[in-house]
Amino acid sequence: MNQASIKELETKSITDEQLVKGCQQGDCHSFRLLYRRYQQRVRSTLYQLCGSEMLEDLVQEVFLRAWKGLPQLRESSYFSTWLYRISWNVASDRRKKLAKHQPQLNQTKSKFDSDESNLNLTSSSSQDTPDLMRLHYQDLVQRGLQTLSLEHRAVLILHDLEDLPQQEIAQILNIPKGTVKSRLYYARNALKKFLQQQDICL
């Protein structure tokens, strides 16, 4: 085993809690490791919530807020839940800004429609090279997600694509677990109906 592989294994063995404590002591390297560990998940979640417009800026905003907020984070073992909550807040802020400028929102949607076929809707554990039928299906799912409200979309993405438990989603979105269940039920049915309208057999 070469040195790079050994270093990678050592990095994976470090817990989030240890890295958070390192960050709180001013260790920038610990934060870089957290960034590498979570940036793909954050990017995937933000893309599915907000589309491709300003995606990189939104990802950077999430980690900037995380860096600023880490000194006040008391439950360091719940870092991932806390980071998803920041991602949700950034996405919500983005949608609110777009809502204030409706013409910009229409332009964003138009650009997203033209760009989305070049981007894959996948969970962080999905294959990197899906076949053409998979790409087509992902494109339809992404279109279906865009028909849902941000609140319903968030629950569906976090549960079905990011594989988070309902209790954790309730903590991230700051809503009761029962609301998570009802929103998930509605979102799944709405997405299923959309896909059936596109002649996708489920």
Side-chain angles (χ1 to χ4, degrees):
M1 186 178 292
N2 58 38
Q3 288 295 323
S5 299
I6 293 173
K7 189 173 182 180
E8 185 178 352
L9 285 173
E10 290 175 346
T11 299
K12 287 181 178 179
S13 69
I14 302 174
T15 66
D16 287 353
E17 190 171 6
Q18 290 172 315
L19 291 175
V20 167
K21 288 179 179 178
C23 293
Q24 291 174 333
Q25 294 169 2
D27 180 14
C28 293
H29 179 65
S30 292
F31 187 73
R32 281 195 293 271
L33 292 178
L34 284 173
Y35 176 82
R36 290 174 191 166
R37 185 172 291 180
Y38 283 99
Q39 60 98 7
Q40 276 302 114
R41 279 185 255 181
V42 169
R43 180 174 283 104
S44 173
T45 300
L46 287 172
Y47 167 63
Q48 292 153 16
L49 287 172
C50 300
S52 60
E53 185 76 12
M54 301 288 290
L55 180 58
E56 292 305 318
D57 288 344
L58 296 177
V59 173
Q60 294 305 315
E61 176 65 20
V62 167
F63 284 99
L64 179 61
R65 292 189 190 186
W67 173 250
K68 290 180 177 179
L70 273 169
Q72 287 75 47
L73 181 61
R74 295 291 172 257
E75 298 291 335
S76 55
S77 59
Y78 292 98
F79 174 78
S80 62
T81 299
W82 180 71
L83 188 64
Y84 273 117
R85 185 181 299 135
I86 294 175
S87 301
W88 163 249
N89 289 337
V90 167
S92 297
D93 290 347
R94 169 68 176 163
R95 300 296 287 189
K96 287 174 185 175
K97 287 180 182 178
L98 289 176
K100 290 180 181 178
H101 306 283
Q102 193 63 35
Q104 285 183 287
L105 179 61
N106 291 335
Q107 291 173 9
T108 299
K109 186 178 186 307
S110 176
K111 185 179 188 306
F112 175 77
D113 288 342
S114 64
D115 286 350
E116 64 181 6
S117 61
N118 296 321
L119 293 163
N120 298 340
L121 173 66
T122 60
S123 64
S124 50
S125 61
S126 296
Q127 296 178 6
D128 293 332
T129 55
D131 59 27
L132 290 178
M133 286 303 296
R134 184 177 176 85
L135 282 171
H136 176 65
Y137 182 73
Q138 290 169 356
D139 176 65
L140 288 176
V141 171
Q142 183 64 64
R143 290 176 183 272
L145 285 173
Q146 295 301 310
T147 68
L148 302 174
S149 70
L150 188 62
E151 291 74 17
H152 287 96
R153 198 185 315 164
V155 170
L156 189 65
I157 289 167
L158 292 174
H159 189 273
D160 288 1
L161 296 180
E162 296 299 325
D163 295 323
L164 298 183
Q166 292 182 8
Q167 185 59 48
E168 186 173 351
I169 295 170
Q171 293 172 354
I172 291 168
L173 302 180
N174 196 27
I175 57 177
K177 185 177 178 181
T179 303
V180 172
K181 288 183 178 180
S182 62
R183 287 183 183 176
L184 184 60
Y185 177 81
Y186 173 87
R188 281 174 171 171
N189 283 341
L191 184 59
K192 181 178 180 180
K193 183 177 180 181
F194 173 85
L195 292 175
Q196 286 174 338
Q197 290 172 345
Q198 310 302 314
D199 295 326
I200 298 294
C201 296
L202 301 174

